[in-house]
mmCIF file of all heavy atoms in Angstrom:
data_model
loop_
_atom_site.group_PDB
_atom_site.id
_atom_site.type_symbol
_atom_site.label_atom_id
_atom_site.label_comp_id
_atom_site.label_asym_id
_atom_site.label_seq_id
_atom_site.Cartn_x
_atom_site.Cartn_y
_atom_site.Cartn_z
ATOM 1 N N MET A 32 62.298 -45.557 20.271
ATOM 2 C CA MET A 32 63.313 -44.871 19.441
ATOM 3 C C MET A 32 64.709 -45.436 19.802
ATOM 4 O O MET A 32 65.379 -44.725 20.468
ATOM 5 C CB MET A 32 63.196 -43.373 19.653
ATOM 6 C CG MET A 32 61.770 -42.841 19.548
ATOM 7 S SD MET A 32 61.704 -40.989 19.712
ATOM 8 C CE MET A 32 61.929 -40.892 21.557
ATOM 9 N N ASP A 33 65.006 -46.585 19.331
ATOM 10 C CA ASP A 33 66.270 -47.136 19.794
ATOM 11 C C ASP A 33 67.447 -46.993 18.751
ATOM 12 O O ASP A 33 67.105 -47.072 17.539
ATOM 13 C CB ASP A 33 66.031 -48.724 20.154
ATOM 14 C CG ASP A 33 67.096 -49.276 20.947
ATOM 15 O OD1 ASP A 33 67.894 -48.589 21.485
ATOM 16 O OD2 ASP A 33 67.197 -50.504 21.059
ATOM 17 N N GLY A 34 68.628 -46.910 19.173
ATOM 18 C CA GLY A 34 69.824 -46.864 18.326
ATOM 19 C C GLY A 34 70.583 -45.514 18.279
ATOM 20 O O GLY A 34 71.519 -45.510 17.551
ATOM 21 N N ASN A 35 70.126 -44.604 19.211
ATOM 22 C CA ASN A 35 70.810 -43.374 19.152
ATOM 23 C C ASN A 35 72.395 -43.497 19.621
ATOM 24 O O ASN A 35 73.099 -42.903 19.005
ATOM 25 C CB ASN A 35 70.158 -42.423 20.157
ATOM 26 C CG ASN A 35 68.783 -42.006 19.770
ATOM 27 O OD1 ASN A 35 68.310 -42.313 18.757
ATOM 28 N ND2 ASN A 35 68.077 -41.498 20.722
ATOM 29 N N GLY A 36 72.515 -44.326 20.588
ATOM 30 C CA GLY A 36 73.853 -44.566 21.107
ATOM 31 C C GLY A 36 74.841 -45.181 20.020
ATOM 32 O O GLY A 36 75.901 -44.710 19.839
ATOM 33 N N ARG A 37 74.301 -46.247 19.284
ATOM 34 C CA ARG A 37 75.101 -46.748 18.323
ATOM 35 C C ARG A 37 75.377 -45.886 17.133
ATOM 36 O O ARG A 37 76.403 -45.924 16.488
ATOM 37 C CB ARG A 37 74.354 -48.085 17.849
ATOM 38 C CG ARG A 37 74.736 -49.247 18.779
ATOM 39 C CD ARG A 37 73.624 -50.497 18.580
ATOM 40 N NE ARG A 37 72.401 -50.092 19.039
ATOM 41 C CZ ARG A 37 71.249 -50.657 18.773
ATOM 42 N NH1 ARG A 37 71.340 -51.732 17.890
ATOM 43 N NH2 ARG A 37 70.180 -50.420 19.268
ATOM 44 N N TRP A 38 74.312 -45.059 16.830
ATOM 45 C CA TRP A 38 74.536 -44.134 15.722
ATOM 46 C C TRP A 38 75.670 -43.206 16.040
ATOM 47 O O TRP A 38 76.467 -42.909 15.149
ATOM 48 C CB TRP A 38 73.146 -43.307 15.545
ATOM 49 C CG TRP A 38 73.163 -42.306 14.452
ATOM 50 C CD1 TRP A 38 72.746 -42.583 13.144
ATOM 51 C CD2 TRP A 38 73.655 -41.032 14.423
ATOM 52 N NE1 TRP A 38 72.870 -41.447 12.405
ATOM 53 C CE2 TRP A 38 73.464 -40.495 13.060
ATOM 54 C CE3 TRP A 38 74.296 -40.139 15.402
ATOM 55 C CZ2 TRP A 38 73.804 -39.150 12.738
ATOM 56 C CZ3 TRP A 38 74.669 -38.855 15.081
ATOM 57 C CH2 TRP A 38 74.484 -38.383 13.767
ATOM 58 N N ARG A 46 77.409 -40.151 23.051
ATOM 59 C CA ARG A 46 76.041 -40.585 22.902
ATOM 60 C C ARG A 46 75.080 -39.586 22.952
ATOM 61 O O ARG A 46 73.975 -39.615 22.272
ATOM 62 C CB ARG A 46 75.777 -41.665 24.032
ATOM 63 C CG ARG A 46 76.584 -42.920 23.948
ATOM 64 C CD ARG A 46 76.370 -43.725 25.223
ATOM 65 N NE ARG A 46 74.908 -44.069 25.392
ATOM 66 C CZ ARG A 46 74.311 -45.087 24.836
ATOM 67 N NH1 ARG A 46 75.014 -45.985 24.006
ATOM 68 N NH2 ARG A 46 73.068 -45.332 25.027
ATOM 69 N N GLY A 49 73.924 -38.484 19.622
ATOM 70 C CA GLY A 49 72.950 -39.462 19.050
ATOM 71 C C GLY A 49 71.622 -39.065 19.447
ATOM 72 O O GLY A 49 70.708 -39.164 18.690
ATOM 73 N N HIS A 50 71.440 -38.751 20.649
ATOM 74 C CA HIS A 50 70.004 -38.366 21.156
ATOM 75 C C HIS A 50 69.575 -37.090 20.544
ATOM 76 O O HIS A 50 68.519 -36.880 20.136
ATOM 77 C CB HIS A 50 70.042 -38.203 22.648
ATOM 78 C CG HIS A 50 70.302 -39.514 23.493
ATOM 79 N ND1 HIS A 50 69.670 -40.690 23.112
ATOM 80 C CD2 HIS A 50 71.198 -39.781 24.521
ATOM 81 C CE1 HIS A 50 70.183 -41.697 23.963
ATOM 82 N NE2 HIS A 50 71.102 -41.217 24.639
ATOM 83 N N ARG A 51 70.504 -36.082 20.415
ATOM 84 C CA ARG A 51 70.237 -34.864 19.816
ATOM 85 C C ARG A 51 69.721 -35.104 18.284
ATOM 86 O O ARG A 51 68.821 -34.486 17.884
ATOM 87 C CB ARG A 51 71.405 -33.877 19.801
ATOM 88 C CG ARG A 51 71.130 -32.551 19.260
ATOM 89 C CD ARG A 51 72.253 -31.578 19.645
ATOM 90 N NE ARG A 51 72.287 -31.228 20.997
ATOM 91 C CZ ARG A 51 71.402 -30.237 21.545
ATOM 92 N NH1 ARG A 51 70.532 -29.591 20.761
ATOM 93 N NH2 ARG A 51 71.419 -30.034 22.886
ATOM 94 N N GLU A 52 70.503 -35.892 17.607
ATOM 95 C CA GLU A 52 70.128 -36.370 16.258
ATOM 96 C C GLU A 52 68.730 -37.049 16.316
ATOM 97 O O GLU A 52 67.908 -36.839 15.302
ATOM 98 C CB GLU A 52 71.252 -37.188 15.713
ATOM 99 C CG GLU A 52 71.343 -37.270 14.145
ATOM 100 C CD GLU A 52 71.611 -35.790 13.627
ATOM 101 O OE1 GLU A 52 72.417 -35.021 14.193
ATOM 102 O OE2 GLU A 52 71.177 -35.545 12.476
ATOM 103 N N GLY A 53 68.371 -37.767 17.349
ATOM 104 C CA GLY A 53 67.180 -38.396 17.460
ATOM 105 C C GLY A 53 66.029 -37.474 17.526
ATOM 106 O O GLY A 53 64.935 -37.747 17.058
ATOM 107 N N VAL A 54 66.289 -36.241 18.024
ATOM 108 C CA VAL A 54 65.140 -35.308 18.063
ATOM 109 C C VAL A 54 64.817 -34.815 16.644
ATOM 110 O O VAL A 54 63.748 -34.635 16.349
ATOM 111 C CB VAL A 54 65.524 -34.039 19.042
ATOM 112 C CG1 VAL A 54 64.399 -33.037 19.039
ATOM 113 C CG2 VAL A 54 65.760 -34.581 20.470
ATOM 114 N N LEU A 57 62.835 -37.452 14.984
ATOM 115 C CA LEU A 57 61.479 -37.411 15.626
ATOM 116 C C LEU A 57 60.692 -36.400 14.802
ATOM 117 O O LEU A 57 59.558 -36.729 14.398
ATOM 118 C CB LEU A 57 61.484 -36.991 17.114
ATOM 119 C CG LEU A 57 60.170 -36.750 17.760
ATOM 120 C CD1 LEU A 57 59.493 -38.133 17.823
ATOM 121 C CD2 LEU A 57 60.452 -36.218 19.181
ATOM 122 N N VAL A 74 55.836 -41.632 21.763
ATOM 123 C CA VAL A 74 57.399 -41.930 21.664
ATOM 124 C C VAL A 74 57.886 -42.191 23.083
ATOM 125 O O VAL A 74 57.630 -41.472 23.953
ATOM 126 C CB VAL A 74 58.077 -40.711 20.988
ATOM 127 C CG1 VAL A 74 57.766 -40.685 19.462
ATOM 128 C CG2 VAL A 74 57.854 -39.394 21.655
ATOM 129 N N TYR A 75 58.729 -43.212 23.110
ATOM 130 C CA TYR A 75 59.387 -43.563 24.369
ATOM 131 C C TYR A 75 60.601 -42.869 24.467
ATOM 132 O O TYR A 75 61.689 -43.092 23.926
ATOM 133 C CB TYR A 75 59.693 -45.134 24.311
ATOM 134 C CG TYR A 75 59.840 -45.846 25.559
ATOM 135 C CD1 TYR A 75 59.485 -45.382 26.823
ATOM 136 C CD2 TYR A 75 60.152 -47.252 25.574
ATOM 137 C CE1 TYR A 75 59.506 -46.128 27.903
ATOM 138 C CE2 TYR A 75 60.204 -48.026 26.707
ATOM 139 C CZ TYR A 75 59.912 -47.331 27.928
ATOM 140 O OH TYR A 75 59.970 -48.108 29.057
ATOM 141 N N THR A 76 60.521 -41.779 25.283
ATOM 142 C CA THR A 76 61.636 -40.794 25.431
ATOM 143 C C THR A 76 62.587 -41.119 26.543
ATOM 144 O O THR A 76 63.795 -40.894 26.417
ATOM 145 C CB THR A 76 60.973 -39.469 25.665
ATOM 146 O OG1 THR A 76 60.253 -39.208 24.484
ATOM 147 C CG2 THR A 76 62.005 -38.339 25.730
ATOM 148 N N PHE A 77 61.998 -41.468 27.738
ATOM 149 C CA PHE A 77 62.875 -41.694 28.919
ATOM 150 C C PHE A 77 62.158 -42.670 29.794
ATOM 151 O O PHE A 77 61.068 -42.479 30.216
ATOM 152 C CB PHE A 77 63.242 -40.388 29.663
ATOM 153 C CG PHE A 77 64.195 -40.580 30.578
ATOM 154 C CD1 PHE A 77 65.647 -40.365 30.413
ATOM 155 C CD2 PHE A 77 63.915 -40.927 32.055
ATOM 156 C CE1 PHE A 77 66.630 -40.508 31.223
ATOM 157 C CE2 PHE A 77 65.002 -41.060 33.013
ATOM 158 C CZ PHE A 77 66.302 -40.827 32.588
ATOM 159 N N SER A 78 62.672 -43.835 29.956
ATOM 160 C CA SER A 78 62.065 -44.947 30.780
ATOM 161 C C SER A 78 62.453 -44.774 32.293
ATOM 162 O O SER A 78 63.415 -44.149 32.626
ATOM 163 C CB SER A 78 62.355 -46.364 30.242
ATOM 164 O OG SER A 78 63.660 -46.687 30.642
ATOM 165 N N ASN A 81 65.990 -45.771 32.690
ATOM 166 C CA ASN A 81 66.944 -44.945 32.116
ATOM 167 C C ASN A 81 67.697 -44.198 33.120
ATOM 168 O O ASN A 81 68.871 -43.678 32.838
ATOM 169 C CB ASN A 81 66.424 -44.051 31.002
ATOM 170 C CG ASN A 81 66.055 -44.776 29.689
ATOM 171 O OD1 ASN A 81 65.258 -44.308 28.934
ATOM 172 N ND2 ASN A 81 66.713 -45.919 29.459
ATOM 173 N N ARG A 84 71.430 -45.111 33.669
ATOM 174 C CA ARG A 84 72.498 -44.676 32.671
ATOM 175 C C ARG A 84 73.449 -43.719 33.380
ATOM 176 O O ARG A 84 73.127 -43.105 34.390
ATOM 177 C CB ARG A 84 71.941 -44.073 31.413
ATOM 178 C CG ARG A 84 71.139 -45.076 30.637
ATOM 179 C CD ARG A 84 70.680 -44.608 29.361
ATOM 180 N NE ARG A 84 69.982 -45.632 28.593
ATOM 181 C CZ ARG A 84 70.014 -45.760 27.205
ATOM 182 N NH1 ARG A 84 70.449 -44.780 26.505
ATOM 183 N NH2 ARG A 84 69.359 -46.745 26.711
ATOM 184 N N GLU A 88 74.864 -38.838 30.626
ATOM 185 C CA GLU A 88 73.823 -39.155 29.628
ATOM 186 C C GLU A 88 72.344 -38.720 30.053
ATOM 187 O O GLU A 88 71.591 -38.222 29.298
ATOM 188 C CB GLU A 88 73.859 -40.654 29.209
ATOM 189 C CG GLU A 88 72.906 -40.882 28.096
ATOM 190 C CD GLU A 88 73.092 -42.266 27.486
ATOM 191 O OE1 GLU A 88 74.120 -42.973 27.828
ATOM 192 O OE2 GLU A 88 72.097 -42.691 26.655
ATOM 193 N N LEU A 92 69.936 -36.086 28.293
ATOM 194 C CA LEU A 92 68.604 -36.276 27.901
ATOM 195 C C LEU A 92 67.588 -35.278 28.549
ATOM 196 O O LEU A 92 66.738 -34.770 27.778
ATOM 197 C CB LEU A 92 68.208 -37.672 28.278
ATOM 198 C CG LEU A 92 68.716 -38.846 27.297
ATOM 199 C CD1 LEU A 92 68.540 -40.171 27.865
ATOM 200 C CD2 LEU A 92 67.821 -38.727 25.984
ATOM 201 N N LEU A 95 67.802 -32.121 26.695
ATOM 202 C CA LEU A 95 66.976 -32.073 25.440
ATOM 203 C C LEU A 95 65.626 -31.905 25.684
ATOM 204 O O LEU A 95 64.906 -31.188 24.879
ATOM 205 C CB LEU A 95 67.243 -33.411 24.708
ATOM 206 C CG LEU A 95 68.470 -33.661 23.943
ATOM 207 C CD1 LEU A 95 68.490 -35.065 23.361
ATOM 208 C CD2 LEU A 95 68.592 -32.669 22.860
ATOM 209 N N ILE A 96 65.021 -32.451 26.765
ATOM 210 C CA ILE A 96 63.634 -32.219 27.067
ATOM 211 C C ILE A 96 63.372 -30.814 27.417
ATOM 212 O O ILE A 96 62.411 -30.231 27.128
ATOM 213 C CB ILE A 96 63.249 -33.240 28.142
ATOM 214 C CG1 ILE A 96 63.234 -34.686 27.711
ATOM 215 C CG2 ILE A 96 61.880 -32.874 28.750
ATOM 216 C CD1 ILE A 96 63.620 -35.620 28.646
ATOM 217 N N ARG A 97 64.305 -30.215 28.186
ATOM 218 C CA ARG A 97 64.178 -28.701 28.412
ATOM 219 C C ARG A 97 64.153 -27.947 27.216
ATOM 220 O O ARG A 97 63.363 -27.000 27.097
ATOM 221 C CB ARG A 97 65.360 -28.283 29.339
ATOM 222 C CG ARG A 97 65.338 -28.775 30.745
ATOM 223 C CD ARG A 97 66.386 -28.065 31.636
ATOM 224 N NE ARG A 97 66.273 -28.545 32.921
ATOM 225 C CZ ARG A 97 66.948 -29.643 33.469
ATOM 226 N NH1 ARG A 97 67.717 -30.233 32.787
ATOM 227 N NH2 ARG A 97 66.618 -30.028 34.788
ATOM 228 N N PHE A 99 63.201 -29.003 24.323
ATOM 229 C CA PHE A 99 61.911 -29.390 23.553
ATOM 230 C C PHE A 99 60.758 -28.679 24.003
ATOM 231 O O PHE A 99 59.844 -28.193 23.224
ATOM 232 C CB PHE A 99 61.671 -30.868 23.628
ATOM 233 C CG PHE A 99 60.690 -31.449 22.865
ATOM 234 C CD1 PHE A 99 60.950 -31.614 21.370
ATOM 235 C CD2 PHE A 99 59.483 -31.825 23.197
ATOM 236 C CE1 PHE A 99 60.092 -32.136 20.603
ATOM 237 C CE2 PHE A 99 58.523 -32.426 22.363
ATOM 238 C CZ PHE A 99 58.823 -32.532 21.064
ATOM 239 N N LYS A 100 60.719 -28.419 25.399
ATOM 240 C CA LYS A 100 59.547 -27.749 26.017
ATOM 241 C C LYS A 100 59.396 -26.243 25.470
ATOM 242 O O LYS A 100 58.377 -25.602 25.555
ATOM 243 C CB LYS A 100 59.528 -27.753 27.480
ATOM 244 C CG LYS A 100 60.583 -26.873 28.061
ATOM 245 C CD LYS A 100 60.348 -26.685 29.595
ATOM 246 C CE LYS A 100 61.634 -25.967 30.193
ATOM 247 N NZ LYS A 100 62.116 -24.880 29.634
ATOM 248 N N LEU A 146 50.855 -35.760 20.035
ATOM 249 C CA LEU A 146 52.034 -36.353 20.306
ATOM 250 C C LEU A 146 52.128 -36.677 21.772
ATOM 251 O O LEU A 146 51.973 -35.768 22.586
ATOM 252 C CB LEU A 146 53.216 -35.390 19.927
ATOM 253 C CG LEU A 146 54.654 -35.726 20.389
ATOM 254 C CD1 LEU A 146 55.108 -37.046 19.749
ATOM 255 C CD2 LEU A 146 55.571 -34.653 20.037
ATOM 256 N N ILE A 148 54.275 -38.056 24.818
ATOM 257 C CA ILE A 148 55.658 -38.268 25.145
ATOM 258 C C ILE A 148 55.748 -39.054 26.446
ATOM 259 O O ILE A 148 55.260 -38.622 27.434
ATOM 260 C CB ILE A 148 56.318 -36.938 25.322
ATOM 261 C CG1 ILE A 148 56.284 -36.188 23.941
ATOM 262 C CG2 ILE A 148 57.871 -37.074 25.813
ATOM 263 C CD1 ILE A 148 57.058 -34.897 23.917
ATOM 264 N N GLY A 196 66.377 -49.898 15.661
ATOM 265 C CA GLY A 196 67.627 -50.385 16.196
ATOM 266 C C GLY A 196 67.934 -51.887 16.283
ATOM 267 O O GLY A 196 68.858 -52.333 16.926
ATOM 268 N N GLU A 198 66.619 -54.415 17.880
ATOM 269 C CA GLU A 198 66.307 -55.406 18.989
ATOM 270 C C GLU A 198 64.767 -55.655 18.900
ATOM 271 O O GLU A 198 64.027 -54.785 18.399
ATOM 272 C CB GLU A 198 66.534 -54.690 20.425
ATOM 273 C CG GLU A 198 67.902 -54.104 20.528
ATOM 274 C CD GLU A 198 68.968 -55.074 20.799
ATOM 275 O OE1 GLU A 198 68.605 -56.319 20.862
ATOM 276 O OE2 GLU A 198 70.125 -54.670 20.790
ATOM 277 N N LEU A 220 68.661 -47.457 12.641
ATOM 278 C CA LEU A 220 68.931 -46.803 13.868
ATOM 279 C C LEU A 220 67.998 -45.489 13.849
ATOM 280 O O LEU A 220 67.850 -44.930 12.845
ATOM 281 C CB LEU A 220 70.385 -46.433 14.009
ATOM 282 C CG LEU A 220 71.398 -47.599 13.919
ATOM 283 C CD1 LEU A 220 72.825 -47.089 13.901
ATOM 284 C CD2 LEU A 220 71.109 -48.605 15.044
ATOM 285 N N TRP A 221 67.535 -45.276 15.050
ATOM 286 C CA TRP A 221 66.487 -44.130 15.167
ATOM 287 C C TRP A 221 66.897 -42.769 14.373
ATOM 288 O O TRP A 221 66.103 -42.269 13.687
ATOM 289 C CB TRP A 221 65.987 -43.887 16.511
ATOM 290 C CG TRP A 221 65.076 -42.743 16.643
ATOM 291 C CD1 TRP A 221 65.396 -41.416 17.151
ATOM 292 C CD2 TRP A 221 63.729 -42.776 16.217
ATOM 293 N NE1 TRP A 221 64.237 -40.640 16.880
ATOM 294 C CE2 TRP A 221 63.185 -41.474 16.418
ATOM 295 C CE3 TRP A 221 62.838 -43.796 15.805
ATOM 296 C CZ2 TRP A 221 61.867 -41.053 16.152
ATOM 297 C CZ3 TRP A 221 61.501 -43.432 15.470
ATOM 298 C CH2 TRP A 221 61.067 -42.059 15.748
HETATM 299 C C1 LIG B 307 67.406 -45.332 23.028
HETATM 300 O O1 LIG B 307 68.625 -45.402 22.269
HETATM 301 C C2 LIG B 307 66.922 -43.986 23.123
HETATM 302 C C3 LIG B 307 66.662 -43.369 24.343
HETATM 303 C C4 LIG B 307 66.813 -43.958 25.617
HETATM 304 C C5 LIG B 307 66.222 -41.962 24.267
HETATM 305 C C6 LIG B 307 65.444 -41.425 23.205
HETATM 306 C C7 LIG B 307 65.288 -40.035 23.187
HETATM 307 C C8 LIG B 307 65.291 -39.209 22.171
HETATM 308 C C9 LIG B 307 65.288 -39.729 20.754
HETATM 309 C C10 LIG B 307 65.259 -37.826 22.431
HETATM 310 C C11 LIG B 307 63.839 -37.352 22.417
HETATM 311 C C12 LIG B 307 63.694 -36.111 23.058
HETATM 312 C C13 LIG B 307 62.612 -35.412 23.159
HETATM 313 C C14 LIG B 307 62.682 -34.111 23.768
HETATM 314 C C15 LIG B 307 61.241 -35.873 22.709
HETATM 315 P P1 LIG B 307 69.814 -46.005 22.983
HETATM 316 O O2 LIG B 307 70.554 -44.788 23.678
HETATM 317 O O3 LIG B 307 69.494 -47.079 23.959
HETATM 318 O O4 LIG B 307 70.674 -46.521 21.828
HETATM 319 P P2 LIG B 307 71.673 -47.745 21.634
HETATM 320 O O5 LIG B 307 70.810 -48.964 21.925
HETATM 321 O O6 LIG B 307 72.255 -47.626 20.279
HETATM 322 O O7 LIG B 307 72.751 -47.510 22.841
#
Side-chain angles (χ1 to χ4, degrees):
M32 308 183 284
D33 198 13
N35 296 345
R37 276 164 287 162
W38 183 94
R46 292 176 59 83
H50 296 311
R51 184 167 288 280
E52 207 58 34
V54 180
L57 177 64
V74 288
Y75 206 5
T76 300
F77 193 88
S78 77
N81 285 154
R84 292 191 174 203
E88 185 170 344
L92 278 165
L95 279 181
I96 291 152
R97 286 190 177 93
F99 192 73
K100 73 165 169 43
L146 170 61
I148 300 185
E198 309 286 352
L220 303 176
W221 177 260

